[in-house]
Amino acid sequence: MTRPDPTVIVSALSKKTVAEQTRRPEYPVHAHFVNRWSSRAFDSRPVEEDVLYTVLEAARWAPSSGNGQPWRFIVARTEEERERFRSFIRPGNRVWSDRAPALVLLVSYTLNANGEPSGSHAFDAGAAWGTIASQAALLGLNTRAIGGFDHELAREALHIPEEYDLHAVITLGYHGDKSALPETLQEREVPTDRRSLNELVHEGVFQAKE
């Protein structure tokens, strides 16, 4: 693949952010995609209802197979609701997620319109999560998805029927100061890089790459 001059890429992006100091795209994508990253540092400031629902409204418009829209969002904002979520989030994640003012459990309906198992519900739910993360970043919010939680405890605590799969707890809020995190997590509080496209793209057929 022929790559454009890196100086062209830089000029195509906005003023450098913290993320852009450690990330360098290989092609001139919009700066939004480079700037968005999943921090563990949250401010305790509540997320306004209209802001939260703007984020969820964006996810409502995510693409899905046959327009099935299998995603569902279980939201926790009050202290009582968040405490219920804490009952099934693993301790290692709670050391930072407890500060997030809003939590959203993403689940998906596993049956299609004919009542048969859907082969795309998880794929579609992933599209909804990506849209949430992107819209939240555009509003100046931070999101981080948690896979480390007890699915069965969550299903029981939130009364989720068996025909729904549980995917991730999404922490959502305004960016906080990393000094509030344990020291080991402070060291990791930097935007991560990505694999090169040469490692990810297979033209024509799949080819093993070292």
Side-chain angles (χ1 to χ4, degrees):
M1 293 181 287
T2 302
R3 297 176 182 173
D5 187 330
T7 59
V8 176
I9 297 176
V10 173
S11 66
L13 300 176
S14 64
K15 182 180 179 181
K16 282 188 176 294
T17 64
V18 172
E20 289 176 280
Q21 293 172 19
T22 57
R23 293 174 161 183
R24 193 171 180 82
E26 297 174 358
Y27 287 82
V29 298
H30 194 284
H32 168 70
F33 298 103
V34 181
N35 293 338
R36 192 218 63 79
W37 65 289
S38 297
S39 170
R40 293 180 179 85
F42 286 91
D43 190 88
S44 59
R45 170 187 168 191
V47 176
E48 300 84 347
E49 182 171 316
D50 60 335
V51 174
L52 170 64
Y53 275 84
T54 293
V55 171
L56 297 178
E57 173 70 15
R60 187 168 76 93
W61 295 96
S64 63
S65 176
N67 197 29
Q69 306 166 56
W71 46 72
R72 302 293 185 272
F73 314 113
I74 304 173
V75 179
R77 288 189 296 157
T78 69
E79 181 57 31
E80 179 182 359
E81 292 167 345
R82 287 180 304 187
E83 187 60 33
R84 190 175 298 125
F85 272 56
R86 291 167 189 152
S87 71
F88 53 79
I89 296 175
R90 290 177 184 161
N93 289 315
R94 285 195 52 189
V95 297
W96 58 270
S97 66
D98 278 4
R99 290 184 59 86
L103 302 168
V104 180
L105 177 61
L106 173 62
V107 306
S108 61
Y109 188 57
T110 61
L111 305 178
N112 62 24
N114 298 320
E116 301 168 341
S118 166
S120 63
H121 68 91
F123 182 80
D124 296 340
W129 150 239
T131 307
I132 285 173
S134 188
Q135 178 62 71
L138 287 169
L139 294 172
L141 296 170
N142 176 54
T143 54
R144 188 175 180 90
I146 298 174
F149 67 97
D150 189 308
H151 289 216
E152 291 311 310
L153 283 179
R155 188 181 296 278
E156 180 180 351
L158 303 180
H159 312 297
I160 302 171
E162 287 297 323
E163 58 269 25
Y164 289 86
D165 266 1
L166 287 62
H167 298 291
V169 176
I170 301 168
T171 53
L172 188 149
Y174 292 97
H175 288 270
D177 194 312
K178 70 177 183 179
S179 63
L181 296 171
E183 190 171 327
T184 54
L185 291 182
Q186 290 182 37
E187 297 171 358
R188 299 166 60 185
E189 193 64 6
V190 293
T192 53
D193 203 355
R194 293 294 186 269
R195 295 179 185 271
S196 166
L197 276 180
N198 280 336
E199 296 182 62
L200 305 174
V201 177
H202 301 257
E203 296 192 10
V205 295
F206 187 90
Q207 297 176 335
K209 300 181 181 182
E210 296 184 3

